[in-house]
Each structure stands twice: as structure tokens, then as C-alpha cells.
Amino acid sequence: DAVAKGKKGVILVDIILKPGEPFGDRTTRVDVDAYFFDVKMDPVSKLRGHGETYVPYASMDGRIQKSIDTALADLDAKIKAQVRVR
């Protein structure tokens, strides 16, 4: 679809969520992967943002949004440091 519309590149975003377990590891982890493709739809780069938050015992909040926000901030910082827009 992007090629048909004449786009010069595409970014595919994949969100990987691992919520904290009620018994054992109570850390909620989120990874946000951004895959960059060129005009020929060949993959040229991948960046990952990571966020995690410990969830205390008996908490009613899984702290998923906080982990997502941290992962997006991490990815945003990497994009600003490494991606050049022409």
C-alpha cells in the first residue's frame, strides 16, 4: 500500500507486553519495536524502547500505562538521536 501511494519509507511498530505475574516476577515490562523500511520495502533499521515497572503485592493497578510511557520515551530519545529526516 505504501509503495502504491509513493511513500519513501515505512515504519512498522510492534508492542510487546509482559504484565507482572501475581506470583513470582511482579514487574510489568513493555518493549516497543520500530522497524524502518526504505522505498523498496527492505528493512534498514530497528530501534527498541523498553519500559518496566515493579507492581507491589496486592496492587490494583498493573502499572501498564507507566511502563508504556517509559518505553515510548526511551524509543523517542533513540529516534531523536539516530534518525535523520531528509
Side-chain angles (χ1 to χ4, degrees):
D1 189 41
V3 173
K5 292 181 179 178
K7 302 295 180 187
K8 296 181 181 178
V10 172
I11 302 171
L12 173 71
V13 177
D14 185 20
I15 300 172
I16 301 115
L17 174 64
K18 183 184 182 290
E21 301 167 2
F23 304 101
D25 186 5
R26 300 188 55 79
T27 303
T28 295
R29 292 178 176 82
V30 175
D31 290 312
V32 179
D33 292 343
Y35 299 90
F36 296 82
F37 296 84
D38 65 11
V39 71
K40 295 182 281 183
M41 296 300 118
D42 292 327
V44 293
S45 186
K46 173 189 167 189
L47 293 175
R48 170 175 279 182
H50 178 78
E52 61 182 55
T53 307
Y54 177 75
V55 181
Y57 180 74
S59 176
M60 298 302 286
D61 179 8
R63 309 228 171 130
I64 294 172
Q65 188 62 54
K66 183 174 182 181
S67 297
I68 291 170
D69 292 344
T70 303
L72 289 174
D74 184 38
L75 180 62
D76 187 50
K78 290 176 182 176
I79 288 173
K80 286 179 180 175
Q82 298 180 29
V83 176
R84 306 283 184 258
V85 179
R86 291 186 228 172

